[in-house]
Structure formats: structure tokens, C-alpha cells
């Protein structure tokens, strides 16, 4: 009886055994499952004799278990919302990246077009929350520290905090489904509720809580769907699969990091289909139905929703704004207020035209020149040619034939393969290149303005090349991508994206590149076009269709993402920093007189997660060896090992997919990029520690093993709670002396020198 007491401690603690595959089973199956009595299970004969009492006891346990589950869920929800919504209005000034995403929310309210490296769903929701809470979109969000004053910002913060509050709830439900252990579920949720980093990142106008919400919702929906595998094509089966697809679209619609959870769901789906293919009770037609259902719900539906997000984005943002210059001229012609909107001009480029040329790289600028010369020691001391990011009179160029004295009454079109000369309208100097080194990009050649009043030399000649075109193809305004190859040197006109020093008015460097590979930096399009000898057409005829602007927006976003560089004095980190909580981020304030908020995970939680990752691998290795060697293991312990390897394996895979890819990325990285992986790590910690607690009877006999389990659970929860009490000023703000100064609220808590609070 004593051994049976310890065996059933798993249920007494609020845990249930692994659920049966089917809701209703035959009495033969039930008795076969309980024919071994070694661990307190009933024999077949006992089952028949006590059939009525068995089911009454099972119902009582089920009712008690459901009551416990609901009670713990309410506790988790209450604590989660309380910790996230507490002091949501403080500080009453712009913090960290609120300057970006709050501003973008304002753009949606004002319908002003802007550019961002992330998909639009998160910013759309922020703008919607601001609009619904009475914010009028007038606050400029100029820089961190700006006071909100009378502007209503709490709605946007409230949205993020509300979505962030669901993370511990989702973790509780997910771990409960995977382990059927209230202890494991409560530990996972407790770690997230009292993690200072998760609270901080949820309390401000940021994309991260929105992204984390959709990631967790997608994985929870997938886990719920997996539990319906014995009820294919039922209403719950369809509901959870469709909801998984909806949340996948949401995750990708906020940030491209959503691709990692799509990969996780994809791998799970492939595994599921492989299992179905091996089920000989299913015909190939049935397997095909399963495949088709998953294609519709997990591929086509997310794609449709993702595209719909962009359709709404383009419809709402229909006014010219700060994002115009990042996109092509054809794209800009859609935007109300842009000089190309409803404009008219000749459709094809011709000799004698006055034009502007826009580079196709992000922030590539317009081909530009002015009277200023390159300084002494920077190539030839000739007139500067740059790329300028704004529309300006000095962006205008005349297009001439290469024969200086050639005259023609008819406006001949410029075609692929033609040799032309570009003359700057204001200064009358020709676009010129020679073998002098470029000012910044040393392996490129300098581009200058040379000659005057139609005079020059052979280094002023450029061959026109329409990308993807053939000899004789005309150059189409707005739509054609054009390259200019220097006739003498063979290099190509190029916008390097590098900012010139003050002598170059901090404009963008233009060079002649000897590397002829087609890139956006060497591609240009004709934007403004004036030629009195040619008929004008409305640019509305040249507007790109939806799929074209969808494709262009993704190209621009991907290029922008890969080209992200850290701002001055901004902290960036390396992936190996993140699991060890090496370094946080300043959200607000620097000195002792300012309201300081510092993004840093609760070190007890993060280091416990790190230790649990290693412990998990050890436990799985031991369990795998034991099973492989055929070592006899009690059924209850086999159930625990199954949870550890299957449920824990899914969470470990989620952690890997959301962490390891950052080692391959060339862009700048920040501490907050680890938070999706941290969620999986915390849930895995819950399952791992619960497994250890349930192994207490290996060390002690009853009732001491029961006492050890109870003490272990309480001690763990108290330690996490106390560590939150110690570090909560990082989240909710602090003033006064810094951590290394006497009298600080964080005195003695700077456990790592790299922490900057």
C-alpha cells in the first residue's frame, strides 16, 4: 500500500496519467491495459469485479482534475495580467523602439506611407489600438525621452501588454496538453509570469509581444490539433488545424522570424503524415484526404491571409510619406501627394529629354550634381557627382546623342545598346568617369562632372543597357531597369550607399564599378521625364498591379533587413550572450536623475532554463539507453519518459529552430531576438523539473518521497518569486543611485559586470 501511495502521488499532485488515444474504449482494451498489478494497477479479474466503482472513481478524479486545472489557469491568468498591466502608463515618455513603432502606428491613423523592414500586421494592430482608444496620430515620436503629455498612448501599450499577458496562459495550456501534469504546466507558466524580461518587453509599444503571442498561439493550436488525431475531420480537428494556419499567418505577418514557427509546424505535419502513411488501416485515398486538408489549412490559408494583410496595408497607406524614396518610381505613382501621382509624361525615353534617374537600391538616391568640386587629394579635382535622397532641381539631366553636333527634328527614342551623353542641366557638365580612385569605395572609379557647354571627351560616353532587354528595346519611363556602362573603361554607374563626408554634403557616394554583376546598386530607372516633342501619357497607365507591388515590398524589406546596422551608441549582442543573460538593453534613462528601465531577464529563471536544457539532454540520453537495452521500467515511469521525450522533444526542437538560425545571420542582432526561444526553453524547464520531481521515490521511501516532492515544488516557486522581488525595479522603473553606488535599490544585484543598470 505504501508503494501504491507513492505511485499515485502523480495524481494527488494534480497530475493525470497519459490520456488514452480514444475517448471510449472496449472493456477488453481497458482490462488489457491494467492486467499488470506490479505498480498498483488492477488485474483483468479485479476490473470486472469492480467495474462500477472504477468508473465512478475515474469520474471523481476527472472532475477533481478539471477543477484543479481551472483553478490553476485562473491563478496563472490573474498573475499574468496583473504583472503586465501594473504601471502600464509609466514612464510617460517614449522608451526605446516606441519611437519607431509608435510613429508607425500614427502613420496608419494618418494613412501616410512609410517603410519598415518588417511585415505590416504588428504596426497595423498598434495603429488600430491607438485609434480605438482615442489617439489621433498627432504625436511625433521623435526620440526616446519625449514626453507624451496629453496624448493618449495607453491604448497602444495596453494592446501589447494584453497580448503579452497571454504568453504564460498559453504556456500553461501547452505544457498541460503535452505532459498532462499540472505541476509541469504551473512551473512553466510561473517562470514566464515572474520573468522581468518578459514583463518589460510586453509593456511597451513594440512588435515583440505581438509576435510572441502569435508564435505561442500557433504552437498551442498545433498541440491541440495533435490531440485530435483519433477524431479526423471532426469539428474540433478542423478548428484547431485552421486556427494553427491563422496564427502562422499572424506570426509571419508581424516579423519574418515567424518563419521559424512555420518550420516547426511544417516538421510536425510531415511527421504526422508519415505516421498516417504507415497506418495500414488507412487507404491511400484517406491519406490523400489528410494531405489535402493540411495543404489547405496550413499552406493555402496562411498564404491567403498573409497576402490579405498586405492588401489592407496598401489600401490604408495611400498618401505620400517618408517611405516613398525606398520604393521604385512606379510604386510611388500610386501615392496621393507624390509628384508622380496622376502625373503625365512621355512613355519612352528619347534624345533631348530632361530626366531624373533614381537608383534602385534602398536609399540609393537620385543621380545628382552641384557646383562643388572634389577636395584636394580625393581623385581629380572635378565637379562632384553624388546620389541625393530628396527631389531637387540639381537632379535634372539632359539626354544627348554621343555625336556632339548631331541634330534631329524627330525625337528618336533611346534604345538598349545606344551610346549617350548625360549633361547636368544646372551646371552643363557631362557625367564623366576615369581611372582615378573613388572617394570611399577604393576599388571603384571616381565619377565626376566634366566639360562645359557641350564640350568634353570620350570619358563622357555611356552605353545604355535595359536589364532583361535586347538590342533595340526602348527605355520605358518608371518601369525599365537601366544600367549605364562606361564606354572607355567598361565599368557600370553605381550607388554605393556610403555617406560622403561634409565636403560631399553627406550625400551618397556614386562610383563606376568594375564589377558588372547586376545588382540594385547598379540599376536605375527614369522617374521624371520632360520632352516637348513627345506625347504625354497618364502615369496611371504605368501603375504596377498588386502582385508587382507585393513583390517589390518584400524585396525592399529583405534588403533592408540584411543591411541593418547598429545606431550610434546602441547596444547589440551575439547569440551566445543570450542564454546566459550576458547583457540587457536600456529602455529608458541612463543617469540617477532619470526614470530607468532595463530589459534583462530574471537571472534565476534564465540560468535555470539554461541548466534544464543540459539536464534534459542527459535525461533523454539515459532514458534512450535504458529503453534500447530493454531494461524493465514500471509503466508509470515509462509514461513519464514518454512525456519527456515526445513532449519535451517538441519544445526542444522549438528552442533550436528559434535560436540556432541567428548564428548564420549577417545583420545586427539584439538581446530581444532570443525571447521566442526563451519561451520554449521555459516550457521545457517545466517538463524537465516535473520529471525529476516524480523520480523522488528512487531516493526515498513513502511518505518521505511525497514530502520531498512537495518541498521541491514550493521551494522552486518561492525562489522564482523572490528573485522577481529582487529584480522587479528593472521592469517597473527606478530612480536614484546606480547599482554600483551605495543606497541603490539594485545594490549588490549586479551579478555580472556586463549588466548596465
Amino acid at each position: 500500500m505504501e508503494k501504491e501511495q507513492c505511485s499515485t502521488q502523480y495524481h494527488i499532485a494534480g497530475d493525470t496519467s497519459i490520456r488514452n488515444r480514444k475517448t471510449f474504449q472496449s472493456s477488453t482494451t481497458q482490462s488489457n491495459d491494467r492486467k499488470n498489478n506490479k505498480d498498483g494497477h488492477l488485474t483483468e479479474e479485479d476490473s470486472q469485479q469492480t467495474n462500477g466503482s472504477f468508473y465512478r472513481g475515474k469520474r471523481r478524479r476527472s472532475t477533481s482534475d478539471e477543477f484543479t486545472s481551472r483553478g490553476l489557469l485562473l491563478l496563472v491568468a490573474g498573475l499574468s495580467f496583473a504583472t503586465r498591466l501594473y504601471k502600464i502608463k509609466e514612464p510617460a515618455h517614449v522608451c526605446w523602439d516606441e519611437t519607431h513603432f509608435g510613429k508607425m502606428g500614427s502613420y496608419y491613423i494618418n494613412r501616410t506611407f512609410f517603410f519598415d523592414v518588417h511585415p505590416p500586421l504588428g504596426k497595423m494592430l498598434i495603429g488600430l489600438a491607438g485609434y480605438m482608444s482615442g489617439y489621433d496620430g498627432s504625436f511625433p515620436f521623435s526620440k526616446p525621452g519625449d514626453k507624451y503629455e496629453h496624448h493618449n498612448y495607453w491604448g497602444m501599450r495596453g494592446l501589447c501588454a494584453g497580448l503579452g499577458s497571454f504568453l504564460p496562459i498559453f504556456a500553461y495550456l501547452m505544457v498541460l496538453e503535452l505532459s498532462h501534469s499540472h505541476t509541469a504546466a504551473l512551473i512553466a507558466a510561473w517562470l514566464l509570469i515572474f520573468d522581468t524580461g518578459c514583463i518589460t518587453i510586453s509593456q511597451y509599444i513594440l512588435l515583440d509581444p505581438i509576435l510572441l503571442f502569435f508564435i505561442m498561439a500557433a504552437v498551442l493550436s498545433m498541440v491541440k490539433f495533435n490531440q485530435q488525431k483519433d477524431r479526423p475531420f471532426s469539428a474540433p480537428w478542423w478548428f484547431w488545424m485552421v486556427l494553427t494556419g491563422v496564427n502562422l499567418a499572424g506570426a509571419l505577418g508581424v516579423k519574418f522570424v515567424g518563419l521559424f514557427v512555420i518550420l516547426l509546424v511544417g516538421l510536425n505535419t510531415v511527421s504526422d503524415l508519415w505516421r498516417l502513411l504507415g497506418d495500414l488501416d488507412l487507404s491511400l485515398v484517406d491519406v490523400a484526404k489528410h494531405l489535402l486538408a493540411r495543404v489547405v489549412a496550413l499552406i493555402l490559408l496562411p498564404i491567403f491571409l498573409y497576402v490579405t494583410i498586405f492588401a489592407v496595408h496598401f489600401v490604408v497607406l495611400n498618401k505620400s510619406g517618408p517611405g516613398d524614396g525606398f520604393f521604385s518610381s512606379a510604386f510611388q505613382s500610386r501615392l496621393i501627394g507624390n509628384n508622380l501621382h496622376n502625373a503625365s509624361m512621355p512613355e519612352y525615353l528619347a534624345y533631348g529629354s530632361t530626366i531624373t534617374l533614381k537608383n534602385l537600391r534602398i536609399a540609393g538616391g537620385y543621380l545628382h550634381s552641384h557646383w562643388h568640386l572634389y577636395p584636394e587629394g580625393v581623385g581629380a579635382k572635378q565637379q562632384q557627382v553624388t546620389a541625393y535622397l530628396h527631389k531637387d532641381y540639381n537632379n535634372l539631366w539632359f539626354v544627348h546623342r554621343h555625336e556632339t553636333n548631331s541634330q534631329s527634328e524627330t525625337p528618336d527614342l533611346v534604345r538598349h545598346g545606344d551610346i549617350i551623353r548625360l549633361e547636368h542641366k544646372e551646371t552643363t557638365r557631362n557625367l564623366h568617369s576615369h581611372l582615378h580612385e573613388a572617394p570611399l569605395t577604393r576599388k571603384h572609379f571616381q565619377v565626376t562632372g566634366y566639360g562645359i557647354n557641350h564640350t568634353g571627351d570620350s570619358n563622357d560616353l555611356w552605353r545604355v543597357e535595359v536589364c532583361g532587354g535586347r538590342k533595340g528595346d526602348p527605355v520605358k519611363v518608371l518601369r525599365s531597369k537601366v544600367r549605364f556602362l562606361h564606354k572607355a573603361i567598361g565599368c557600370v554607374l553605381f550607388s554605393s550607399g556610403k555617406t560622403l563626408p561634409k565636403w560631399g554634403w553627406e550625400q551618397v557616394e556614386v562610383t563606376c564599378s568594375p564589377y558588372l554583376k547586376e545588382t540594385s546598386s547598379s540599376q536605375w530607372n527614369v522617374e521624371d521625364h520632360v520632352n516637348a516633342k513627345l506625347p504625354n501619357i497618364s502615369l496611371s497607365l504605368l501603375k504596377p498591379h498588386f502582385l508587382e507591388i507585393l513583390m517589390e515590398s518584400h524585396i525592399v524589406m529583405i534588403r533592408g533587413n540584411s543591411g541593418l546596422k547598429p545606431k550610434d551608441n546602441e547596444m547589440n549582442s551575439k547569440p551566445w550572450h543570450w542564454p546566459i543573460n550576458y547583457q540587457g538593453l536600456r529602455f529608458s534613462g541612463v543617469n540617477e536623475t532619470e526614470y530607468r528601465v532595463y530589459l534583462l531577464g530574471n537571472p534565476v529563471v534564465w540560468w535555470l532554463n539554461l541548466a534544464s536544457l543540459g539536464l534534459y539532454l542527459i535525461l533523454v540520453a539515459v532514458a534512450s539507453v535504458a529503453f534500447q537495452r530493454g531494461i524493465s521500467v514500471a509503466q508509470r515511469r515509462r509514461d513519464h519518459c514518454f512525456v519527456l521525450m515526445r513532449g519535451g522533444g517538441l519544445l526542444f526542437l522549438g528552442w533550436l529552430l528559434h535560436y540556432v538560425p541567428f548564428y548564420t545571420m549577417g545583420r545586427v542582432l539584439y538581446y530581444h531576438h532570443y525571447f521566442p526561444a526563451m519561451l520554449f526553453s521555459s516550457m521545457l524547464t517545466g517538463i524537465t523539473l516535473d520529471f525529476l520531481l516524480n523520480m523522488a521515490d528512487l531516493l526515498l521511501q513513502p511518505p518521505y518521497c511525497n514530502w520531498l516532492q512537495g518541498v521541491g515544488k514550493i521551494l522552486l516557486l518561492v525562489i522564482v518569486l523572490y528573485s522577481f522581488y529582487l529584480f522587479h525595479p528593472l521592469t517597473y522603473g527606478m530612480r536614484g543611485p546606480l547599482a554600483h553606488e551605495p543606497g541603490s535599490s539594485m545594490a549588490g544585484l549586479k551579478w555580472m559586470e556586463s549588466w548596465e543598470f
Side-chain angles (χ1 to χ4, degrees), residues 499-536:
T499 302
L500 293 168
K502 290 191 175 182
W503 56 256
W505 302 92
E506 297 181 339
Q507 296 175 8
V508 178
E509 178 193 40
V510 169
T511 69
C512 197
S513 170
Y515 308 106
L516 301 184
K517 180 181 177 181
E518 283 191 10
T519 67
S520 58
S521 297
S522 64
Q523 294 174 335
W524 307 76
N525 72 264
V526 178
E527 181 168 296
D528 296 290
H529 182 210
V530 177
N531 192 317
K533 296 182 179 180
L534 292 175
N536 291 337

Side-chain angles (χ1 to χ4, degrees), residues 135-157:
Y135 171 59
D136 61 4
S138 61
F139 186 71
F141 287 95
S142 299
K143 63 183 183 302
D146 287 353
K147 301 289 185 183
Y148 283 118
E149 297 177 341
H150 64 280
H151 294 278
N152 192 342
Y153 62 94
W154 64 264
M156 294 181 283
R157 281 191 182 174

Side-chain angles (χ1 to χ4, degrees), residues 23 75 219 322 371 478 485 550 553 555 559 640 644:
T23 305
L75 174 66
V219 180
W371 289 104
L478 299 186
L485 281 77
L550 179 67
S553 64
I555 292 172
R559 287 174 181 167
H640 294 157
L644 184 73

Side-chain angles (χ1 to χ4, degrees), residues 94-133:
V94 178
C95 294
W96 195 49
D97 271 357
E98 284 188 326
T99 186
H100 299 304
F101 302 119
K103 184 185 298 182
M104 292 170 188
S106 299
Y107 286 145
Y108 277 106
I109 294 173
N110 297 316
R111 307 192 67 177
T112 303
F113 187 76
F114 67 93
F115 164 71
D116 185 42
V117 297
H118 306 299
L121 179 60
K123 283 96 64 179
M124 290 170 64
L125 293 176
I126 289 171
L128 179 62
Y131 178 77
M132 296 295 289
S133 60

Side-chain angles (χ1 to χ4, degrees), residues 401 407-412 533:
R401 298 177 183 273
Q407 298 289 332
S408 175
E409 294 296 328
T410 59
D412 292 339
K533 296 182 179 180

